[in-house]
Amino acid sequence: MTSDQILKEREEILAGIEGKTLVDAFMSTCDTNAGRPALVVKQGEGFKTWTWADYRRESSELAMALRRLGVGHGDFVALMMTNRPEHVLVDIGTLLAGGTPVSVYNTFTAEQVGYIAGNCDAKVAIVEDKSYLDKWLAVWPSLPALTTIVVVDPTGVELSDKVLSYEQLREQGAAALAGGQGELENSWRAVDAEDPVTLIYTSGTTGPPKGVVITHRNLLYMLGVVQQMLDIQPGQRGISYLPLAHVAERMTTHYVGVRFGGTVYFVQEISAVVDTLQEARPQTFMAVPRVWEKMNAALLAKVDATENPRKRQLAKRAIDVGMTKVREEMAGRTPGFGLRLQHAIFDRLVFAKIRDGLGMDELKYALSGAAPISADLLIFFKAIGVEILEVYGMTESTAVITANTPGEVRIGTVGPRLPGIEVRIAEDGEILARGPSITRGYWKRDEATKETIDPEGWLHTGDLGRMDDDGYVRIVGRKKELIITAGGKNLSPNNIEESIKQRSPIIGQICAVGDDKPFIAALVVLDAEVLPGWCESNGIPFASVAEAAQDPRIVAEVQRAIDAGNADLARVEQVRKFEIVPAEWTAESEELTPSLKLKRNVVHTKYLDVIEGMYVDKR
């Protein structure tokens, strides 16, 4: 496509958002959807619902209260909460006050909290409960701009004129709002399209977090792209459970909900996602690869545990038929009539029940992003009737750069560029992007901005990729994560890991290593959720993950998976040795980012002795 055509695409979207802000979109949505449900959360055996009218009223109260606390145009309010309605109510309330909301990862330490609040000079912080408050109290003396902390659940908290409860904040705002709407309207109408709609601090795999500036214009352009590519209708249901400090969650539930009048169900504990799926029956569901992996493992484990042999074999046969059909289509061949007929029968008898059991029977758009997902996983879900749209992007691109779209998915790619976005592959293989959704930079980090965005406006993603003749992009790896072996071979650890991880349900995480080494080795983490059931099905007593890691039968299963994965890898990529790590890797233990990507530098440091031990000749 020519540059003139890309420019035309861009101008069409920009014309519809000229001079507008997310607050304009919010007010318009509230006007046209006042009685529709906007925010829903489980309370006891039932649900509490905010309509769009409720949403506007409560966020307006919060806006007026924040203004009484000194928040005005250009000021920042920090939010540290789980996925709950109050999180987005305060988010919009801050925008209505003229300020900018900044969500902070709940897993961040007091030191990281202090760095972020200091970097953006947060004037007010709104936190979940006492455990979050304690982190802020520890660093408050070093934050001269911070005047007030508000606690949503004040149980055990000593309140004062500087530490308020959420209800106190609302009451103050309601009283101020009763005096008239003029101040509120003046504050939100003063917001400019080039103002930050938020700062998103990348969790990062190295160094301190960087605050990515996302403007109202950046965001509304991306939402304009969504409007072109997907049929999002008012009342369309989604589930919010990934961190709201991450651009993927903000985009797919919060911002899409505000722009199109969607209904968002909030999940505070990730363990409740499956139950909420069954209750909400969403039309849109976004998950990082690890969540799709866990669903896949749970489904296969359930099939293996089916007591009725006939039903068990029927389910396995259905999955085999479905995956065969998808692979035929991937190869560009039309599946034969017999295969299509079998799949249609199995879809009615087996897959429809699976989708209903998952709560995905009304699902229109299943999305995966934030990290690479294996082709086998995409094939499996498409086989059972859930077409996952893999998208690619980063915080600095306001979430998405390329995307697969319904009916045009090419498994193994992350799709073609978005409308109006330029994408090219640099000489060294790095993916570059340019367009209206690209951030202007990092907050108060000019040098970091210059390292990421060149003078011509190209965002240097740090990802390596290839583009086919139709413009579909395939991710090869990360520039800074390539393994350079002692033989001088440049290898992508992710490619190795994805080839192996899906070969066994008991493998939770895997980290390939081999920098300056004669061969590739790997650290393997067992899946603590799947392992007990797998052990029971295979007649292996289970007491703990640590004990299971020593069992020869578990070791043999991991070896089988590695052998299977190695069969699809070049000889130089194949894993020759491995060690099972008897501990789970989480964001809290710091081996993973909050979006569940590996922090390789942390893993390499923590397990240096184990890694070095795999390269010792033990003959």
Side-chain angles (χ1 to χ4, degrees):
M1 182 167 283
T2 67
S3 57
D4 286 345
Q5 289 172 308
I6 294 174
L7 185 61
K8 184 180 179 181
E9 291 175 347
R10 186 180 298 173
E11 291 304 321
E12 285 178 359
I13 296 173
L14 288 173
I17 65 169
E18 184 63 36
K20 294 181 180 178
T21 69
L22 184 68
V23 187
D24 293 313
F26 174 74
M27 289 299 186
S28 176
T29 296
C30 291
D31 286 340
T32 57
N33 297 275
R36 288 183 184 272
L39 313 174
V40 182
V41 67
K42 190 78 174 282
Q43 284 196 348
E45 295 301 312
F47 292 89
K48 180 177 180 180
T49 300
W50 283 253
T51 64
W52 283 99
D54 298 329
Y55 197 166
R56 173 155 53 186
R57 181 177 60 255
E58 189 162 332
S59 59
S60 297
E61 293 169 354
L62 294 166
M64 293 296 283
L66 289 170
R67 288 187 64 80
R68 294 299 175 273
L69 294 177
V71 174
H73 194 266
D75 291 325
F76 292 93
V77 174
L79 316 179
M80 195 173 185
M81 288 173 269
T82 56
N83 297 57
R84 57 189 298 161
E86 291 85 354
H87 199 138
V88 297
L89 286 161
V90 174
D91 190 285
I92 295 297
T94 301
L95 293 174
L96 291 173
T100 301
V102 180
S103 290
V104 180
Y105 283 111
N106 301 330
T107 55
F108 276 177
T109 63
E111 182 182 11
Q112 290 170 312
V113 165
Y115 173 83
I116 290 171
N119 179 253
C120 69
D121 295 313
K123 186 167 283 188
V124 175
I126 301 183
V127 304
E128 178 101 357
D129 56 25
K130 188 177 185 301
S131 65
Y132 293 69
L133 174 64
D134 288 343
K135 293 182 182 182
W136 285 84
L137 292 178
V139 295
W140 200 347
S142 64
L143 302 173
L146 186 64
T147 63
T148 312
I149 299 179
V150 179
V151 187
V152 177
D153 177 5
T155 303
V157 173
E158 184 176 342
L159 301 176
S160 66
D161 59 339
K162 291 187 177 181
V163 179
L164 307 175
S165 72
Y166 181 84
E167 287 307 315
Q168 285 178 318
L169 192 71
R170 276 197 65 191
E171 289 169 5
Q172 292 176 10
L177 197 60
Q181 297 275 342
E183 180 185 349
L184 178 68
E185 184 157 347
N186 289 338
S187 68
W188 72 258
R189 288 194 182 279
V191 177
D192 186 83
E194 296 302 329
D195 286 338
V197 70
T198 190
L199 299 184
I200 298 183
Y201 282 84
T202 58
S203 57
T205 54
T206 59
K210 297 189 292 287
V212 180
V213 179
I214 304 296
T215 66
H216 288 263
R217 182 174 183 267
N218 291 148
L219 176 59
L220 289 184
Y221 185 88
M222 185 57 63
L223 290 170
V225 169
V226 170
Q227 187 175 26
Q228 279 196 5
M229 299 176 72
L230 304 177
D231 180 28
I232 306 291
Q233 296 294 323
Q236 189 157 302
R237 297 181 298 279
I239 295 176
S240 175
Y241 68 99
L242 296 169
L244 276 159
H246 194 281
V247 69
E249 183 61 70
R250 287 192 150 260
M251 180 60 66
T252 53
T253 58
H254 178 36
Y255 293 141
V256 165
V258 167
R259 172 63 183 82
F260 300 104
T263 302
V264 181
Y265 283 72
F266 290 86
V267 182
Q268 291 177 264
E269 296 289 340
I270 198 166
S271 59
V273 169
V274 173
D275 288 343
T276 308
L277 274 167
Q278 294 165 346
E279 293 159 341
R281 305 281 159 177
Q283 284 91 18
T284 303
F285 181 67
M286 162 74 188
V288 295
R290 187 68 187 121
V291 173
W292 291 116
E293 288 167 8
K294 283 184 173 291
M295 283 190 179
N296 168 256
L299 280 171
L300 293 179
K302 187 174 181 180
V303 169
D304 286 339
T306 302
E307 291 186 5
N308 185 313
R310 184 175 173 278
K311 288 185 177 180
R312 183 170 62 249
Q313 290 305 315
L314 181 68
K316 288 186 175 184
R317 174 62 181 158
I319 292 169
D320 285 343
V321 165
M323 294 183 73
T324 299
K325 178 176 178 289
V326 174
R327 289 196 170 99
E328 285 287 295
E329 293 167 342
M330 286 175 62
R333 296 187 291 267
T334 300
F337 174 76
L339 183 60
R340 297 199 310 272
L341 179 61
Q342 286 185 78
H343 184 265
I345 293 170
F346 283 136
D347 188 70
R348 187 174 68 254
L349 296 179
V350 179
F351 299 146
K353 293 178 181 178
I354 290 176
R355 294 193 298 271
D356 182 70
L358 286 172
M360 293 185 177
D361 50 315
E362 297 184 38
L363 195 63
K364 289 174 64 178
Y365 306 118
L367 304 168
S368 180
I373 185 170
S374 78
D376 285 346
L377 209 57
L378 296 174
I379 292 168
F380 170 84
F381 277 101
K382 189 170 183 180
I384 67 170
V386 178
E387 182 181 57
I388 298 175
L389 308 177
E390 186 176 9
V391 304
Y392 163 72
M394 54 199 303
T395 308
E396 290 84 347
S397 66
T398 315
V400 188
I401 295 171
T402 69
N404 280 288
T405 53
E408 299 182 3
V409 170
R410 291 193 187 178
I411 290 175
T413 79
V414 291
R417 62 172 186 81
L418 298 184
I421 304 299
E422 298 171 86
V423 176
R424 67 182 178 88
I425 309 297
E427 289 185 6
D428 64 354
E430 184 176 12
I431 300 170
L432 309 184
R434 183 168 66 178
S437 61
I438 304 301
T439 179
R440 66 176 182 236
Y442 302 111
W443 188 256
K444 294 184 180 179
R445 296 284 297 275
D446 292 343
E447 286 305 312
T449 299
K450 291 176 183 177
E451 291 173 5
T452 304
I453 303 173
D454 68 26
E456 295 181 345
W458 288 100
L459 170 67
H460 290 242
T461 65
D463 291 305
L464 300 173
R466 294 192 296 268
M467 187 186 299
D468 67 21
D469 293 341
D470 296 322
Y472 280 73
V473 175
R474 187 180 301 272
I475 305 300
V476 176
R478 289 285 296 170
K479 280 180 71 171
K480 295 181 180 179
E481 290 183 353
L482 288 179
I483 294 173
I484 304 176
T485 67
K489 297 291 185 180
N490 287 16
L491 307 176
S492 166
N494 182 74
N495 185 52
I496 298 166
E497 292 154 4
E498 290 302 327
S499 182
I500 293 169
K501 190 160 55 173
Q502 294 306 308
R503 307 294 177 162
S504 174
I506 70 170
I507 296 180
Q509 298 285 349
I510 180 170
C511 180
V513 297
D515 255 330
D516 201 28
K517 301 296 184 185
F519 58 84
I520 299 298
L523 298 173
V524 175
V525 177
L526 301 176
D527 191 312
E529 293 181 19
V530 173
L531 191 59
W534 188 91
C535 286
E536 182 179 354
S537 296
N538 288 273
I540 302 172
F542 180 83
S544 69
V545 173
E547 286 189 29
Q550 305 299 318
D551 191 295
R553 291 165 290 185
I554 298 292
V555 176
E557 169 64 10
V558 173
Q559 183 66 67
R560 183 200 62 77
I562 287 176
D563 291 342
N566 280 346
D568 288 339
L569 295 170
R571 185 173 178 80
V572 71
E573 294 177 298
Q574 293 174 358
V575 173
R576 288 175 50 184
K577 288 188 179 181
F578 69 91
E579 287 287 343
I580 299 177
V581 177
E584 189 175 5
W585 289 348
T586 66
E588 289 78 9
S589 61
E590 298 187 342
E591 290 92 353
L592 304 181
T593 69
S595 58
L596 307 182
K597 292 193 285 283
L598 272 178
K599 287 187 175 181
R600 297 185 188 276
N601 60 319
V602 172
V603 172
H604 293 169
T605 300
K606 272 193 173 185
Y607 296 95
L608 179 61
D609 291 344
V610 178
I611 293 170
E612 292 297 327
M614 288 190 285
Y615 292 97
V616 174
D617 191 342
K618 298 177 181 178
R619 289 178 298 175

